[in-house]
Amino acid sequence: MATGLENLEIYKLSVRLEIFVYKVVKKFPIDEKYNSVSQLKRSSSSIVNNIAEAYGKFSYGAKINHICIARGEAEETKSGLQRAYLKGFISEKIADFTTMKYTELLKKMNSYIKFLRNKQTDAA
């Protein structure tokens, strides 16, 4: 049975993207294991972790802060994947797909932040 967190759209999307990134980086050159691969794995998992942490926070301010951190990690992951394409590690199709999906995630995060800010104002 899914909890409230598993029903949160930004959480579900970020988990799917994290798994996708983990599969994509397996095909990177071996000498990138401690560079691009490690960084992309860490930033993509940090998105999920910060969304989960935000969900568990009590105050709206703390929730917003963690979603903003997750946004930064999403931008970092998107940028890293775009550079991976320029370096020839991934295809243009994968780069375009991930850019589109991370942009979608960022827009949904922006909407969630707006929702939380409205709730924060209503609670004051």
Side-chain angles (χ1 to χ4, degrees):
M1 182 175 199
T3 67
L5 176 61
E6 283 86 17
N7 291 322
L8 190 61
E9 188 62 36
I10 59 172
Y11 181 79
K12 291 189 292 188
L13 180 54
S14 65
V15 168
R16 288 193 307 269
L17 286 168
E18 178 187 7
I19 301 306
F20 187 79
V21 166
Y22 270 63
K23 290 177 181 176
V24 167
V25 299
K26 284 183 179 182
K27 298 174 183 165
F28 279 31
I30 193 72
D31 62 336
E32 286 295 319
K33 182 177 180 181
Y34 298 107
N35 293 320
S36 300
V37 170
S38 176
Q39 190 59 36
L40 285 167
K41 283 181 169 184
R42 284 185 284 122
S43 63
S44 66
S45 66
S46 184
I47 299 164
V48 177
N49 293 336
N50 274 288
I51 292 169
E53 190 164 353
Y55 192 83
K57 294 293 183 181
F58 181 75
S59 75
Y60 290 111
K63 289 176 183 289
I64 292 165
N65 184 54
H66 280 283
I67 298 299
C68 288
I69 292 168
R71 277 191 89 265
E73 296 292 342
E75 285 286 3
E76 179 180 337
T77 306
K78 182 172 89 167
S79 173
L81 289 164
Q82 290 168 338
R83 290 190 324 275
Y85 164 68
L86 295 174
K87 295 174 186 175
F89 301 160
I90 60 175
S91 69
E92 184 175 14
K93 183 179 177 181
I94 290 174
D96 288 347
F97 173 78
T98 55
T99 296
M100 177 189 68
K101 295 310 277 183
Y102 275 102
T103 300
E104 177 186 335
L105 177 61
L106 288 159
K107 288 177 181 178
K108 289 177 183 289
M109 287 176 165
N110 289 341
S111 294
Y112 190 56
I113 290 167
K114 185 177 180 181
F115 167 79
L116 291 172
R117 285 190 175 137
N118 287 338
K119 294 292 252 180
Q120 184 178 33
T121 303
D122 293 345

